[in-house]
Amino acid sequence: MVSMRQLFLQHVAQTSDFPLMMEIEKAEGVYMYGTNGQVYLDLISGIGVSNVGHRHPRVVSAIQEQLEKYMHLMVYGEFVHGPQVQLSEALHQTLPKHLDNVYIVNSGTEAVEGALKLAKRYTGRTELISCYNAYHGSTQGALSVNGSEGFKNAFRPLLPDVRHIHYNKIEDLERITTRTAAVIIETVQGEAGVRVPENDYLKKLRARCTETGTLLILDEIQSGFGRTGTFWAFEQFGIEPDILLCAKGMGGGMPIGAFIAPQHIMAAFKTNPILGHCTTFGGHPVSCVASLATINVIKEENLLAGVQAKADLFKQLLVHPRIKAIRNCGLMMAAEFESFDVLKAVIDKAIERGVLTDWFLFCDNSMRIAPPLVITEEQIREACRVILQVIDEALMSQKFGKLKS
């Protein structure tokens, strides 16, 4: 009989030659349960998605209730969908007053695509600026503003008139001019290995964008929805964006994203041409109620209050000569090792012991630590105990392998 793993390899499109191949039959809270009886403590939240944990009861309940009413009815923007309206209002309540118009899509990369189009349409300009080592998604527009040539070259030609600057480099801000439609930037760089803005970098970026009439697009697809200890990461840095992007942790496990802007900017999509941006499934009512439930869980269960203490506990416990540094903004964390080879051996052994971690696309010597915000102190201690144990085991295995060869 053909196994599920064999069917997976035969019929499910692969994104690499080395998928993890974990077969999960159930997930709840911070744990995933394999078909082989293995229990995995999830330290990466499906790459920043399960901020309130897997299958949070309130999210599941909201989904079930909506399924009894209706699912898809009409393409986005035509009907008054209660779930869309309620979610948009709830998002607005978390934001500065000028960010009052929400365009709900299906994913982070779609939010990026919509925001880039909006910036060009509203400003009448064509130049886009992003950062080196930035990750904004994989569709062609989003890929154009990614900051890694290795990911882009095979797919050129991409969008023209895209420039890059170095994150945290104040001198590069002079490259933003009156030709620039928008700067798109991660408030905290994710796939670069958790790089936090320094020396009032974001304030100076905000000032330069204001000076040149450039729209500032903040990508909070990874850092939003409480990941950094505030609902939005930009709250910690004294600035406000013109357009805000969110997804990942937004849906409590359901697919959803959004780009958010002032109404007068978003109105650019309504004329010349009409339907300047449209989507069939964006704002799907089931995803919207899941997102609204997620917001309510974060607020009413006071999840933000515990983020910094939990991050501090990780930093206190993860002390080892092979860990060169730990960078973080809340529970968006990176533990740096000397090389990818060492890190990969540690990750593999940690998974064998039931702790799931990962690395970063543009920083492959650093371990990603981004657990559900509901993780407990006891669970953090257990995860760190396993990681420290497998570091020594991985190094011994490598050393023994070299001796044998």
Side-chain angles (χ1 to χ4, degrees), residues 322-342:
R322 296 290 184 163
I323 298 177
K324 305 303 179 184
I326 295 182
R327 297 180 296 277
N328 82 294
C329 188
L331 282 171
M332 189 173 175
M333 310 185 76
E336 184 175 319
F337 289 76
E338 62 197 73
S339 68
F340 172 74
D341 289 339
V342 170

Side-chain angles (χ1 to χ4, degrees), residues 76-254:
Y76 188 76
E78 296 294 333
F79 285 10
V80 180
H81 283 240
Q84 290 176 2
V85 174
Q86 292 160 10
L87 172 60
S88 297
E89 171 61 15
L91 285 168
H92 181 227
Q93 293 300 318
T94 70
L95 290 165
K97 288 185 179 179
H98 74 284
L99 292 172
D100 60 0
N101 226 231
V102 181
Y103 198 119
I104 307 170
V105 291
N106 302 288
S107 68
T109 194
E110 289 185 44
V112 171
E113 295 285 350
L116 297 180
K117 284 178 64 180
L118 180 61
K120 292 166 74 173
R121 177 71 182 83
Y122 178 76
T123 64
R125 304 175 184 180
T126 58
E127 183 180 73
L128 299 167
I129 291 179
S130 60
C131 287
Y132 292 107
N133 289 333
Y135 183 81
H136 297 292
S138 333
T139 50
Q140 293 208 43
L143 186 62
S144 300
V145 293
N146 272 10
S148 169
E149 290 305 310
F151 274 78
K152 293 160 66 169
N153 281 336
F155 304 102
R156 291 191 182 279
L158 295 168
L159 286 182
D161 216 2
V162 174
R163 308 284 181 268
H164 295 291
I165 59 177
H166 293 89
Y167 190 84
N168 271 333
K169 189 173 182 180
I170 305 297
E171 310 90 90
D172 280 10
L173 299 182
E174 292 302 314
R175 299 183 190 178
I176 304 166
T177 71
T178 53
R179 286 194 65 251
T180 311
V183 174
I184 179 170
I185 189 168
E186 298 160 276
T187 309
V188 177
Q189 279 199 310
E191 296 308 314
V194 186
R195 309 292 170 171
V196 181
E198 301 169 351
N199 302 319
D200 283 336
Y201 174 72
L202 289 182
K203 285 185 178 179
K204 292 170 183 175
L205 169 62
R206 173 69 274 181
R208 181 61 178 170
C209 287
T210 301
E211 178 187 351
T212 58
T214 300
L215 297 184
L216 176 58
I217 303 172
L218 287 186
D219 180 339
E220 295 229 3
I221 290 166
Q222 282 200 54
S223 61
F225 275 71
R227 171 58 51 193
T228 67
T230 47
F231 198 93
W232 305 104
F234 72 79
E235 298 174 52
Q236 301 177 36
F237 302 103
I239 66 158
E240 296 177 359
D242 298 300
I243 304 175
L244 179 68
L245 312 181
C246 54
K248 285 190 179 289
M250 178 181 181
M254 291 293 287

Side-chain angles (χ1 to χ4, degrees), residues 23 25 33 49 53 66 102 133 147 192 243 306 329 358 362 392-393:
E23 193 173 343
E25 64 179 4
Y33 301 88
V49 168
Q66 183 59 39
V102 181
N133 289 333
I243 304 175
C329 188
D358 194 14
F362 310 139
D392 291 328
E393 291 177 5

Side-chain angles (χ1 to χ4, degrees), residues 52 58-59 62-63 65-66 69 81-94 104 225 231 249-252 254 256 284-300:
V52 297
R58 294 177 64 177
V59 174
I63 291 169
E65 288 179 19
Q66 183 59 39
K69 298 175 183 175
H81 283 240
Q84 290 176 2
V85 174
Q86 292 160 10
L87 172 60
S88 297
E89 171 61 15
L91 285 168
H92 181 227
Q93 293 300 318
T94 70
I104 307 170
F225 275 71
F231 198 93
M250 178 181 181
M254 291 293 287
I256 190 170
H284 193 283
V286 178
S287 291
C288 285
V289 296
S291 182
L292 180 60
T294 297
I295 293 173
N296 290 335
V297 167
I298 291 171
K299 288 183 173 181
E300 293 168 19

Side-chain angles (χ1 to χ4, degrees), residues 267-280:
F269 277 151
K270 295 196 295 185
T271 59
N272 299 319
I274 63 168
L275 302 178
H277 195 67
C278 50
T279 171
T280 297

